């Protein structure tokens, strides 16, 4: 039968346009030069073409080809695999470092591999011969292996020598952070909250990560007032954004936050001003017994203390100046925390070995005793006798790395039968347990015996940081919120002079002082998170991201041993005019590193369900509770409330576990496809979303005015209704026990599992459809 219908529509027009776009994108990608994305001040130092990057534990039988670059910030492997035309890699986890990037400060060791033998390369040395295979071991327990078999002659030696020279700097000012700030200052383009990346000669691949917050991280600008409840009643007006976050006082305000990423912007208190300390004293209601001293103004008393800190109000400032010369590094006893019953926590350095005089230490302890409401004698805990030393932690860490970073698949399976005994022999978990036991012991003395506890350490800069923070986390729920936790780290670690660059190995000296004390603390917090999963506002992913960020030597938070060292280094840097006002990035501005969808993984759905979702209470029961509360004395009611806020972790060996996400996430053969802790986490997120959806629907049925999806509360979780569409990253990734981290290499892309987009469809699309249907029905 002959067709008589004639169409005047060009059905091939859309296809032709699509093909033209494909050809155009393909031409731009395939003909582009392989170059890494560069930050301001970042320059390429060496490169090697035709490098083969082996897949993890593929026994050198599988890999991808590309060019290996070494810059003054990172080692970057730019793949020649152009199977995807995506200009921006939507699957990358971090904005600053892509999947195949290695921060120079994250490199722990370099090995030259030849004929199955591994030779460790000495930092600062040079390579004269040809390098066949280079193995890069990282501080985040990852391993990268590169083959130079097909590289042009000489390029292998050039790039390896560049890595050896720049990955282990001998001076602090050689870290990339100073190059970054210098370039920003000279170009005049610095804007707080922005990180720009440039990609070689491909301007179309320029990534602009401008943020709306333009405030400097070193100077907190008032952003409105908030009322903070104090112990004993009353309210305190605050203009600093430092404490306005996840705590119960601001829960109502949090529900109305416009953008999900807003709550992760830099609002952490820096404790570099007397008002920062005074605000905390008033919050705890102990401003009469403890006071802020500026005896160290200009760092005249001690270079390992901040210019302002809290001491006993019963002693004059001159007493601290006089006594400081008798303490190690001039570190006189300093206040950490005061519990509701008046018992306080104080940290103190030992007296100097060259002095036999105990008069000044006795005077300091007497001042601490007088600051107690009942004038009780303080209890001194010598951490040198009760806790592992920094060198002990370093030894345990090396053994743990050897166990969790096997050189080959054969080595991995060879220890499978004796894994638990090998893990026990590292002593790492035993050190974690010991720290928790000491913290619980100190809490018992403060709460039940109402004694002030003084934790004493040689220089009060390592284990004192761990124990003081653990005690406060156990006692005060404020520090279990995200901003509260960051305030705690900023005060007890950064401001009180933990030696981050020395302990993290950012700068290599002749006598190394490396020891992952900060990782030990994060592991202790993770143990508490496992035992009290609904008591912390943050997830384990947040803790892992914090450890990874400590290895990126661009953040001022982890860049200096003390505020004095920061002041001196910045003053001597010609690019910075005012040493008290710097433009270094703060790690607490998480939007510098992560997208909003990724930041949502920092949230704990169980905490959200417990603290942020309103639960209906029977009116009669509620009235009876109020009557019972009125019958109690005000003091006993407050003490009972504070005791319910305490969480005491169990410290038996059977309950201390290995932090798998941090230590085993890169071991591809051990991944559980579609299972593990991430599955449980995502199901919890879905459950919270379902509760919010049902509550929204119930309100719409009960109210005269229908409640639409626009007024529905936002959970700020991974599957929150705030997402307008499924992120491109989720349509590519699959769920494994390493989520949101994944094994490096092309094999990770071919893993069969449940696409994350399936979870998104079930949680968002259905909920939105139900909300729209509900609104139309009413």
């Amino acid at each position: 039968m002959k067709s008589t219908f004639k169409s005047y529509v060009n059905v091939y027009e859309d296809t032709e346009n699509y093909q033209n776009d494909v050809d155009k994108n393909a031409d731009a990608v395939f003909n582009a030069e392989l170059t890494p994305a560069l930050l301001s001040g970042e320059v390429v130092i060496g490169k090697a073409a035709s490098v083969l990057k082996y897949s993890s534990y593929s026994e050198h039988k599988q890999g991808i080809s590309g060019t290996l670059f070494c810059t003054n910030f990172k080692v970057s492997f730019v793949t020649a695999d152009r199977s995807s035309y995506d200009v921006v890699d939507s699957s990358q986890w971090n904005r600053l470092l892509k999947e195949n990037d290695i921060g120079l400060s994250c490199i722990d060791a370099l090995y030259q591999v030849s004929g199955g033998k591994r030779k460790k390369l000495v930092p600062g040395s040079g390579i004269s011969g040809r390098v066949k295979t280079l193995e890069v071991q990282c501080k985040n327990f990852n391993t990268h292996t590169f083959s130079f078999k097909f590289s042009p002659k000489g390029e292998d030696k050039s790039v390896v020598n560049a890595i050896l020279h720049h990955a282990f700097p001998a001076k602090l000012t050689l870290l990339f952070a100073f190059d970054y700030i210098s370039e920003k200052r000279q170009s005049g383009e610095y804007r707080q909250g922005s990180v720009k990346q440039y990609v070689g000669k491909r301007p179309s691949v320029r990534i602009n990560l401008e943020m709306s917050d333009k405030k400097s991280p070193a100077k907190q600008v008032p952003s409105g007032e908030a009322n903070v409840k104090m112990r004993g009643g009353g309210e305190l007006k605050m203009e600093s954004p430092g404490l306005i976050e996840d705590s119960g006082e601001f829960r109502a305000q949090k529900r109305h936050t416009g953008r999900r990423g807003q709550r992760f912007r830099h609002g952490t208190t820096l404790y570099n001003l007397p008002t920062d300390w005074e605000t905390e004293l008033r919050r705890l209601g102990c401003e009469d017994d403890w006071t802020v001293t500026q005896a160290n103004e200009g760092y005249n008393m001690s270079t390992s203390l901040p210019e302002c800190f809290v001491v006993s109000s019963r002693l004059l400032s001159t007493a601290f100046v006089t006594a400081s010369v008798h303490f190690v590094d001039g570190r006189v006893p300093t206040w950490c925390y005061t519990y509701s019953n008046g018992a306080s926590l104080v940290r103190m350095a030992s007296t100097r070995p060259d002095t036999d005089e105990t008069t000044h230490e006795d005077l300091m302890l007497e001042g601490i005793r007088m600051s107690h409401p009942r004038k009780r004698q303080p209890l001194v805990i010598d951490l040198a006798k009760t806790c592992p030393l920094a060198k002990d932690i370093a030894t345990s860490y090396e053994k743990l790395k050897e166990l969790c970073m096997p050189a080959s698949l054969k080595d991995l399976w060879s220890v499978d039968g004796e894994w638990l005994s090998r893990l026990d022999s590292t002593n790492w978990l035993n050190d974690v347990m010991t720290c928790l036991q000491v913290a619980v012991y100190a809490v018992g003395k403060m709460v039940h015996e109402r004694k002030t506890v003084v934790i004493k350490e040689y220089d009060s800069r390592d284990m004192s940081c761990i124990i003081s923070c653990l005690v406060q986390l156990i006692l005060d729920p404020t520090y279990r919120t995200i901003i509260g936790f960051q305030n705690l780290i900023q005060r007890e670690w950064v401001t009180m002079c933990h030696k981050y660059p020395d302990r993290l190995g950012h700068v290599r000296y002749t006598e190394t002082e490396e020891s992952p004390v900060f990782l030990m603390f994060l592991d202790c917090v993770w143990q508490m998170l496992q035992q009290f999963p609904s008591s912390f506002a943050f997830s384990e992913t947040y803790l892992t991201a914090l450890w990874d960020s400590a290895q990126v030597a661009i953040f001022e938070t982890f860049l200096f041993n003390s505020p004095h060292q920061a002041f001196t280094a910045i003053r001597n840097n010609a690019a910075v005019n005012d040493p008290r006002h710097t433009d270094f990035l703060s790690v607490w501005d998480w939007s510098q590193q992560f997208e909003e969808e990724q930041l949502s993984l920092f949230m704990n759905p169980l905490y959200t369900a417990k603290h942020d979702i309103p639960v209906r209470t029977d009116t009669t029961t509620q009235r009876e509770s109020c009557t019972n509360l009125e019958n109690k004395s005000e003091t006993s009611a407050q003490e009972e409330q504070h005791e319910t806020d305490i969480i005491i972790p169990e410290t038996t060996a059977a309950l201390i576990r290995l932090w798998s996400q941090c230590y085993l996430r890169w071991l591809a053969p051990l991944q559980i496809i579609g299972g593990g802790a991430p599955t449980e986490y995502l199901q919890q997120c879905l459950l919270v979303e379902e509760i919010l959806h049902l509550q929204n629907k119930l309100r719409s049925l009960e109210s005269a005015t229908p409640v639409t999806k626009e007024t529905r509360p936002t959970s700020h979780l991974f599957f929150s209704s705030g997402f307008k569409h499924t992120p491109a990253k989720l349509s590519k990734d699959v769920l494994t026990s390493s989520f949101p981290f994944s094994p490096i290499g092309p094999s990770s892309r071919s893993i069969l599992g449940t696409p994350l987009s399936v979870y998104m469809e079930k949680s968002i699309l259905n909920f939105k459809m139900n909300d729209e249907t509900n609104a139309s029905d009413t």
Side-chain angles (χ1 to χ4, degrees):
M1 182 175 179
K2 184 177 180 181
S3 175
T4 59
F5 177 77
K6 182 177 181 180
S7 174
Y8 294 92
V9 179
N10 184 2
V11 296
Y12 299 102
E13 182 177 0
D14 292 340
T15 304
E16 292 174 356
N17 292 336
Y18 173 76
Q19 187 60 43
N20 290 335
D21 292 339
V22 171
D23 293 340
K24 183 178 179 180
N25 291 338
D27 183 69
V29 172
F30 280 94
N31 295 329
E33 180 183 355
L34 292 181
T35 53
L38 302 177
L39 298 174
S40 295
E42 186 178 5
V43 294
V44 175
I45 301 168
K47 73 173 185 177
S50 303
V51 175
L52 184 64
K53 185 177 189 298
Y54 289 122
S55 301
S56 301
Y57 302 100
S58 64
E59 303 301 283
H60 296 182
K61 296 179 181 179
Q62 185 181 8
I64 51 177
S65 178
T67 301
L68 186 65
F69 295 88
C70 177
T71 74
N72 55 338
F73 174 56
K74 63 178 179 283
V75 175
S76 182
F77 179 77
V78 182
T79 177
D81 181 6
R82 310 293 183 82
S83 58
S84 173
Y85 296 167
D86 293 337
V87 175
V88 180
D89 184 8
S90 60
S91 66
Q92 72 181 71
W93 165 249
N94 194 297
R95 282 176 161 180
L96 300 180
L97 296 168
K98 293 187 175 181
E99 184 181 26
N100 290 317
D101 290 344
I102 312 168
L104 289 177
S105 54
C106 187
I107 296 177
D108 190 44
L110 298 174
Y111 291 88
Q112 183 177 358
V113 183
S114 178
K117 296 182 179 180
R118 300 163 68 245
K119 175 185 177 183
K120 187 174 183 178
L121 302 180
V122 180
S125 63
I127 296 296
S128 57
R130 182 165 178 81
V131 180
K132 293 183 178 180
T133 304
L134 178 69
E135 182 180 296
V136 182
Q137 290 191 355
C138 302
K139 298 172 186 175
N140 64 355
F141 291 82
N142 199 0
T143 302
H144 305 263
T145 307
F146 303 97
S147 172
F148 300 96
K149 182 178 180 180
F150 304 104
S151 299
K153 185 178 180 180
E155 291 190 1
D156 56 332
K157 182 174 64 176
S158 172
V159 72
V160 172
N161 284 332
I163 297 173
L164 273 172
H165 180 73
H166 289 85
F168 311 102
K171 293 195 304 182
L172 184 70
T173 52
L174 294 178
L175 293 174
F176 171 71
F178 290 89
D179 294 332
Y180 176 80
I181 291 301
S182 178
E183 177 66 21
K184 286 288 186 180
R185 286 287 186 175
Q186 292 177 9
S187 62
E189 68 177 24
Y190 184 86
R191 301 170 67 190
Q192 168 54 24
S194 65
V195 175
K196 292 184 179 179
Q197 291 182 327
Y198 304 92
V199 182
K201 300 180 180 179
R202 294 192 293 177
S204 60
V205 195
R206 176 169 172 170
I207 306 170
N208 193 349
L209 307 179
E210 299 291 343
M211 312 311 303
S212 60
D213 187 358
K214 304 298 189 296
K215 296 189 287 289
S216 170
K219 182 179 179 181
Q220 296 189 14
V221 182
S223 58
E225 291 187 352
N227 293 329
V228 182
K229 295 180 181 179
M230 297 188 299
R231 288 180 181 168
E235 290 184 338
L236 168 68
K237 284 191 174 182
M238 290 178 49
E239 293 186 350
S240 168
L243 292 175
I244 304 177
E245 226 295 323
D246 268 9
S247 57
E249 295 86 358
F250 304 105
R251 210 165 291 134
Q253 178 181 350
K254 183 179 67 175
R255 296 193 191 101
H256 299 288
T257 303
R259 293 183 62 197
R260 173 189 320 235
Q262 184 68 27
R263 50 206 310 205
F264 291 100
R265 301 202 188 283
H266 180 41
T268 303
T269 305
L270 299 180
Y271 292 97
N272 58 353
L273 299 173
T275 52
D276 296 339
W277 295 93
E278 291 167 356
T279 299
E280 184 68 359
L281 288 176
R282 289 196 294 271
R283 184 184 76 86
L284 297 173
C286 59
E287 64 272 20
D288 293 335
D289 299 316
W290 302 90
T291 185
V292 180
T293 180
Q294 299 185 62
N296 195 36
E297 187 174 6
Y299 305 102
N300 295 320
M301 186 179 75
S302 173
T303 57
S304 66
L305 281 175
E307 289 189 287
C308 56
F309 50 91
V310 176
V311 295
S312 170
S313 61
R314 303 298 187 264
L315 297 175
L316 298 175
S317 296
T318 53
F320 294 100
V321 176
T322 303
S324 63
V325 297
H326 298 279
F327 288 88
V328 174
D329 295 336
R331 293 179 64 90
V332 295
T334 58
W335 171 89
C336 298
Y337 181 76
T338 297
Y339 187 57
S340 58
N341 61 10
S344 298
L345 180 68
V346 180
R347 55 195 291 180
M348 179 178 70
S350 302
T351 53
R352 294 174 52 178
D354 57 354
T355 179
D356 297 329
E357 202 174 322
T358 62
T359 305
H360 295 282
E361 180 178 316
D362 295 339
L363 177 64
M364 296 291 105
L365 293 176
E366 177 62 17
I368 294 172
R369 185 187 72 83
M370 294 298 294
S371 293
H372 192 284
R374 299 189 180 185
K375 306 299 184 290
R376 291 186 174 178
Q377 193 70 26
L379 171 68
V380 179
I381 300 179
D382 190 350
L383 299 185
K385 299 178 180 179
T386 58
C387 288
L389 303 176
K391 62 180 182 180
D392 298 327
I393 295 177
T395 301
S396 300
Y397 176 68
E398 290 299 324
K399 294 179 180 179
L400 182 66
K401 282 197 307 179
E402 182 180 355
L403 179 64
C404 298
M405 300 175 65
S408 64
L409 194 60
K410 180 181 178 181
D411 294 338
L412 173 64
W413 297 126
S414 65
V415 299
D416 184 59
E418 52 185 20
W419 169 264
L420 293 179
S421 60
R422 290 281 299 273
L423 177 62
D424 182 64
S425 65
T426 65
N427 256 354
W428 179 264
L429 296 183
N430 185 66
D431 291 343
V432 171
M433 180 178 64
T434 302
C435 292
L436 289 171
Q437 288 173 341
V438 174
V440 170
Y441 174 76
V443 167
K445 293 297 181 180
M446 292 176 64
V447 175
H448 302 301
E449 300 183 20
R450 300 191 173 189
K451 286 187 176 182
T452 289
V453 174
V454 179
I455 49 177
K456 183 178 180 181
E457 188 185 11
Y458 176 73
D459 59 358
S460 188
R461 301 175 74 174
D462 288 314
M463 302 311 298
S464 293
C465 301
I466 295 181
I467 302 304
S468 64
C469 285
L470 292 180
V471 168
Q472 294 175 71
L473 283 168
I474 292 173
L475 292 175
D476 198 331
T478 300
Y479 299 126
R480 298 175 215 143
T481 65
I482 291 179
I483 283 293
F485 186 69
Q486 294 175 176
N487 285 340
L488 185 64
I489 294 177
Q490 185 70 33
R491 188 180 74 225
E492 299 295 334
W493 291 78
V494 181
T495 304
M496 295 308 295
C497 309
H498 175 64
K499 297 181 287 186
Y500 272 117
D502 292 352
R503 293 306 190 206
L504 295 175
H506 290 342
V507 180
R508 301 294 177 101
Y509 301 103
T510 304
E511 295 183 3
T512 178
E513 296 184 6
E514 286 186 61
S515 179
V517 178
F518 187 58
L519 177 61
M520 175 64 65
F521 164 67
L522 295 178
D523 201 325
C524 291
V525 177
W526 181 85
Q527 303 292 339
M528 295 174 63
L529 177 60
Q530 304 312 299
Q531 296 188 30
F532 302 94
S534 62
S535 297
F536 293 85
F538 46 83
S539 65
E540 68 167 336
T541 300
Y542 169 82
L543 296 175
T544 304
L546 186 55
W547 170 245
D548 290 345
S549 300
Q551 314 302 331
V552 183
I554 194 175
F555 300 113
E556 182 182 13
T557 314
F558 308 113
L559 203 59
F560 302 104
N561 286 328
S562 64
H564 173 263
Q565 187 186 48
F567 178 83
T568 303
I570 295 167
R571 181 187 58 190
N572 296 335
N573 184 9
V576 181
N577 299 322
D578 183 3
R580 297 182 186 272
H581 180 80
T582 74
D583 290 330
F584 285 107
L585 300 178
S586 171
V587 73
W588 308 130
D589 187 357
W590 291 106
S591 57
Q592 299 281 4
Q593 299 187 72
F594 304 104
E595 301 287 348
E596 293 181 9
E597 292 84 358
Q598 296 165 333
L599 290 176
S600 65
L601 293 171
F602 288 3
M603 306 299 298
N604 181 0
L606 295 181
Y607 182 91
T608 301
K610 181 178 180 180
H611 296 84
D612 298 335
I613 295 181
V615 179
R616 293 196 170 197
T617 306
D618 182 74
T619 308
T620 305
T621 305
Q622 197 171 23
R623 189 181 299 111
E624 292 176 354
S625 299
C626 294
T627 304
N628 294 334
L629 188 60
E630 291 175 357
N631 294 332
K632 294 182 180 181
S633 65
E634 183 178 353
T635 304
S636 62
Q638 289 178 357
E639 289 182 357
E640 182 177 334
Q641 176 61 38
H642 286 299
E643 287 183 4
T644 58
D645 292 335
I646 299 176
I647 54 174
I648 304 295
E650 293 291 337
T651 57
T652 56
L655 294 177
I656 304 300
R657 300 160 51 191
L658 181 69
W659 186 5
S660 298
Q661 187 193 67
C662 184
Y663 306 135
L664 304 178
R665 53 185 153 152
W666 309 115
L667 291 178
L670 302 184
Q671 300 311 309
I672 305 173
I673 309 302
T679 303
E680 183 180 353
Y681 174 85
L682 296 179
Q683 291 297 332
Q684 292 168 357
C685 292
L686 287 175
L687 182 60
V688 173
E689 284 299 314
E690 185 175 357
I691 293 174
L692 288 175
H693 165 67
L694 294 176
Q695 286 184 343
N696 188 59
K697 186 175 182 179
L698 183 61
R699 282 192 298 270
S700 67
L701 294 174
E702 294 178 341
S703 61
T705 304
V707 180
T708 62
K709 62 179 180 179
E710 284 75 15
T711 59
R712 171 185 163 186
T714 302
S715 68
H716 301 285
L717 297 173
F718 189 60
F719 297 122
S720 172
S721 60
F723 287 127
K724 301 301 181 183
H725 56 82
T726 302
K729 181 180 187 301
L730 303 182
S731 61
K732 294 183 177 181
D733 284 5
V734 297
L735 184 62
T736 71
S737 54
S738 287
F739 178 83
F741 310 95
S742 60
I744 299 297
S747 59
S748 65
R749 299 302 181 202
S750 61
I751 293 179
L752 299 177
T754 304
L756 289 176
S757 57
V758 173
Y759 287 89
M760 297 296 294
E761 291 173 3
K762 291 181 179 180
S763 62
I764 294 179
L765 300 183
N766 289 346
F767 285 171
K768 283 189 175 183
M769 180 179 64
N770 291 336
D771 283 336
E772 293 171 356
T773 303
N774 184 38
S776 62
D777 291 342
T778 54

